[in-house]
Amino acid sequence: MVSKEENILFAAEKLFAEKGFEGTSTREIAKAANVNISMISYYFGSKEKLYEKLVEYRMKEGQFFSNEILERTDINEWEKIVKIIDQFSNRIKNHKCFYRIMQREQLHAENPQILEFLKETKIGFISMYSQLLERGLKKGIFTKNPPIYLLHSTVSGTLFYALNAKPMYKEFLNNTEEESVFDEKYYTELNKHIKHLLKDLLGYEENK
């Protein structure tokens, strides 16, 4: 069940994605969340603190699932990478508003707290890929050792570009399906594409 605090966060998330931080008022957030405007001050103190809490909430949520996969002992390093990609792609598909906010922040961020959250999250993912690559190389699962920062850029860059370009591709394909139907096909093909790229970059061969 969604708490009142989360309800305010999610309402703000949609507005920030649509109108930007500066273009969104606390009154609009309160109206969208169907709460008294005083509740925003009660739970967060200010619009700035609400924004920081939203970023922290989503970032920690993603890191939790990734760390859980990293610690599993029943699957190998390639299978862990596959699950992380599936999770990452699924989060972008289901939390489009938040990731649009983050892309905007990377270009125009002025809040040092937000910048720190972004940096910590990126470093966390790079560290995770580095651990998986190192272990996979030692076990002979991978035969290539690409620069880890480029590996991270390949995954995240491809996913974020695909998020932004989806409407253009839908139009190019003359696709008239419901958005949810097209979404499912689009992200399924995107996941397969990224995994094919990583197999080549890591030198991974199935059934060897």
Side-chain angles (χ1 to χ4, degrees):
M1 185 177 177
V2 176
S3 67
K4 285 186 178 180
E5 186 177 1
E6 288 174 324
N7 181 47
I8 295 170
L9 282 176
F10 301 155
E13 182 177 46
K14 290 180 182 178
L15 288 168
F16 289 149
E18 179 187 343
K19 306 176 75 172
F21 176 77
E22 295 297 338
T24 302
S25 69
T26 51
R27 190 171 298 279
E28 288 174 310
I29 295 169
K31 182 179 179 181
N34 198 27
V35 298
N36 189 290
I37 196 169
S38 63
M39 288 292 97
I40 293 175
S41 295
Y42 175 76
Y43 283 113
F44 306 102
S46 67
K47 187 176 75 167
E48 288 76 12
K49 293 298 181 185
L50 187 162
Y51 193 48
E52 290 173 9
K53 183 66 177 179
L54 170 63
V55 174
E56 181 182 10
Y57 179 92
R58 289 296 191 205
M59 291 296 193
K60 287 186 175 178
E61 188 181 50
Q63 286 178 321
F64 171 77
F65 291 119
S66 297
N67 288 333
E68 193 177 57
I69 292 169
L70 189 63
E71 292 167 5
R72 287 181 59 172
T73 58
D74 59 321
I75 54 178
N76 68 26
E77 279 64 30
W78 170 250
E79 291 166 326
K80 289 179 182 180
I81 285 176
V82 165
K83 288 190 175 296
I84 288 166
I85 292 167
D86 287 340
Q87 174 204 294
F88 195 4
S89 176
N90 195 51
R91 284 183 59 75
I92 288 176
K93 180 177 74 173
N94 294 324
H95 301 298
K96 295 182 181 73
C97 288
F98 177 71
Y99 285 102
R100 288 199 176 101
I101 293 169
M102 288 302 93
Q103 286 179 294
R104 188 184 298 145
E105 276 298 328
Q106 291 183 76
L107 294 173
H108 308 292
E110 296 180 356
N111 185 318
Q113 188 71 32
I114 301 293
L115 286 172
E116 190 61 27
F117 282 142
L118 286 170
K119 185 181 76 173
E120 287 178 3
T121 303
K122 288 178 183 178
I123 290 174
F125 271 105
I126 292 169
S127 174
M128 179 176 60
Y129 287 129
S130 182
Q131 289 181 59
L132 290 172
L133 178 56
E134 186 179 344
R135 293 176 192 171
L137 286 166
K138 285 181 179 177
K139 295 177 182 178
I141 295 170
F142 306 135
T143 59
K144 297 179 183 177
N145 188 11
I148 201 66
Y149 59 91
L150 292 180
L151 193 70
H152 175 259
S153 294
T154 298
V155 176
S156 58
T158 303
L159 283 169
F160 287 133
Y161 184 88
L163 168 65
N164 293 326
K166 185 169 71 72
M168 178 189 70
Y169 291 143
K170 192 173 191 296
E171 182 180 340
F172 174 76
L173 294 168
N174 294 316
N175 187 287
T176 57
E177 294 175 316
E178 290 283 337
E179 196 68 24
S180 59
V181 175
F182 181 71
D183 252 22
E184 197 62 38
K185 291 181 180 177
Y186 185 74
Y187 282 97
T188 297
E189 290 179 353
L190 177 60
N191 284 8
K192 287 180 181 177
H193 176 70
I194 292 173
K195 289 166 193 172
H196 283 311
L197 288 175
L198 292 185
K199 278 183 180 179
D200 184 56
L201 288 170
L202 297 171
Y204 173 76
E205 295 180 16
E206 293 181 279
N207 305 317
K208 65 177 182 179

